[in-house]
């Protein structure tokens, strides 16, 4: 008996958390292509992959990225992890908002510097920041990044390394087919330059800071450099009139910057010096950079960012280990590639085609299901991509599914199973041929 009054109310559905996304199978091939290309390019430059945990002690980011940065002061997913046993202590943990601090922690923890070799490490993985979600800005996003780090004797401090990393990025973006990238380059100086610049900034900010937003007023006191990367619209006029780091670089930093630029010139990699590019993380010294694009990203036009961090290892209690690295926003890279592909399709009038499976096997009756699965197994082992229908489907339904999914269809009846002669229909030509089982794979590949 059914009684509509007693029917339980449908349960509310559960959605992906704000700022997170599912990547469905029609999207992941592009992600995989991007990652495969990045891996191939990185390995040509001698990089090896490192995989670090997605959560770390909160302290790592507080010390590494900096307490006063937007990331640490308001965007981290942090929790107190309860002790589960008397032997454990409660710990403050954080989902990683970026990976450089974790990679440098691993470098110190595994004493990679003791090899005396330059370490070239890359990673691909999700990062987490509680930002206001919008196109190109998510709370879980992916970064493809790399770090070059080592003891001073390994040459890690050389401007050649900065230029090599930048040249590699230019090659990677070219190989991926990103057309309109622009490299913005700056030097934020070494620790001494930064200290002198900080004094000058504080002085310049003192008479004007009261006219700025509360965040910038606080930064002007605690970490004036951070005022420079503020996005606060109303404060831009004041920020533009502040002193420029370029005027505070010492000889050493200036010489380093000149050498980076000379090596880029020699390689023919174009760049634009942007004196306001200080980047939102405290660990940067000397070279900082961003690659921006004009297609697909709107206001979130920074595709990747990075820089040199000669003091980070020591900030984390490790040995002196100069380094340079970058992180590409993979979500933004994909958005750019998709926007380019759409623009190309619109210009050529040809819609992009989806990749199809080699063949769809339609068993004619459920008695043929086991034989269909056996044939699919054999063809898959021969390297073909195969979908199997179901013997309960009417033939029209099988054709409907097959036409969307695959280039060929095989109708598998009792006769075909007995004689080993199969009928293959090709959708693009409408052609139908009978072939022997032993040449079937070649026919389907053709
Ligand atoms: P950062 O670690 O802040 O230097 O960021 C490096 C790159 O990661 C940026 O240039 C962006 O492409 C990307 N990125 C940073 N934050 C986000 C986010 N919330 N969503 C998507 N991509 C991001």
């Amino acid at each position: 008996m059914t009684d509509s009054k007693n029917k339980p109310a449908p349960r509310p559905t559960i959605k992906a958390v704000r700022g997170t996304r599912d990547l469905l199978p029609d999207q992941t091939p592009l992600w995989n292509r991007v990652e495969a290309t990045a891996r191939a390019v990185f390995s040509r430059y001698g990089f090896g992959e490192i995989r670090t945990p997605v959560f770390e002690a909160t302290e790592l980011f507080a010390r590494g990225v900096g307490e006063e940065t937007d990331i640490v002061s308001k965007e981290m997913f942090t929790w107190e992890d309860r002790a589960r046993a008397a032997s454990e202590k409660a710990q403050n943990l954080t989902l990683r908002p970026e990976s450089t601090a974790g990679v440098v922690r691993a470098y110190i923890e595994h004493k990679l510097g003791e090899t005396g070799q330059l370490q070239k490490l890359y990673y691909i993985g999700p990062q987490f920041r509680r930002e206001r979600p919008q196109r190109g800005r998510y709370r879980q996003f992916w970064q493809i990044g790399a770090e070059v780090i080592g003891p001073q004797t390994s040459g890690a401090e050389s401007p050649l390394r900065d230029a090599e990393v930048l040249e590699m990025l230019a090659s990677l973006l070219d190989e991926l087919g990103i057309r309109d990238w622009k490299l913005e380059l700056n030097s934020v100086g070494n620790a001494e330059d930064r200290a002198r610049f900080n004094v000058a900034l504080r002085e310049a900010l003192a008479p004007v800071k009261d006219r700025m937003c509360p965040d910038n007023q606080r930064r002007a006191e605690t970490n004036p450099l951070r005022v420079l990367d503020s996005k606060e619209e109303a404060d831009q006029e004041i920020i533009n009139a502040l002193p420029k780091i370029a005027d505070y670089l010492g000889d050493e930093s200036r010489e380093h910057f000149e050498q980076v630029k000379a090596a880029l010139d020699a390689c023919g990699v174009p760049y634009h010096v942007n004196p306001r590019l200080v980047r939102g993380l405290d660990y940067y010294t000397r070279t900082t950079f961003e690659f921006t694009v004009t297609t697909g990203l709107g206001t979130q036009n920074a595709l990747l960012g990075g820089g040199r961090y000669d003091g980070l290892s020591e900030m984390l209690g490790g040995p002196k280990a100069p380094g340079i690295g970058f992180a590409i926003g993979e979500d933004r890279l994909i958005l750019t590639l998709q926007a380019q592909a759409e623009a190309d399709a619109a210009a050529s009038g040809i819609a992009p085609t989806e990749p199809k499976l080699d063949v769809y096997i339609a068993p004619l009756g459920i008695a043929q299901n086991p034989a269909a699965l056996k044939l699919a197994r054999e063809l898959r082992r021969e390297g073909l991509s195969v979908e199997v229908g179901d013997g309960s489907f009417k033939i029209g339904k099988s054709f409907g599914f097959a036409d969307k999914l695959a280039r060929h269809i095989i109708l598998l009846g009792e006769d075909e199973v007995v004689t080993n002669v199969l009928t293959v229909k090709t959708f693009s030509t409408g052609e139908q041929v009978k072939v022997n089982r032993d040449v079937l794979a070649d026919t389907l590949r053709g």
Side-chain angles (χ1 to χ4, degrees), residues 71 97-99 129 131 134 136-143 279-281 283-284 290-291 297 300-306 326-333:
I71 295 177
E98 60 100 59
S99 282
R129 295 182 195 171
E131 297 196 83
Q134 52 187 293
R137 185 175 290 264
Y138 311 99
R139 291 185 169 178
Q140 174 173 333
F141 59 99
W142 268 259
Q143 284 185 336
R279 315 245 326 110
L281 298 87
Y283 53 60
Y284 287 119
E290 264 179 22
F291 280 70
L297 293 183
Q300 308 304 317
N301 68 345
L303 199 58
L304 69 93
F326 62 83
I328 305 173
E330 191 177 359
D331 306 73
R332 295 190 190 175
L333 193 63

Side-chain angles (χ1 to χ4, degrees), residues 48-81:
E49 184 179 2
I50 182 165
R51 300 189 188 199
T52 62
V54 289
F55 59 89
E56 299 266 5
T58 306
E59 170 82 9
L60 174 69
F61 306 110
R63 266 207 265 164
V65 177
E67 299 269 16
E68 266 308 310
T69 58
D70 279 356
I71 295 177
V72 174
S73 65
K74 45 187 181 193
E75 294 171 358
M76 296 206 301
F77 289 95
T78 295
W79 70 101
E80 194 189 25
D81 203 49

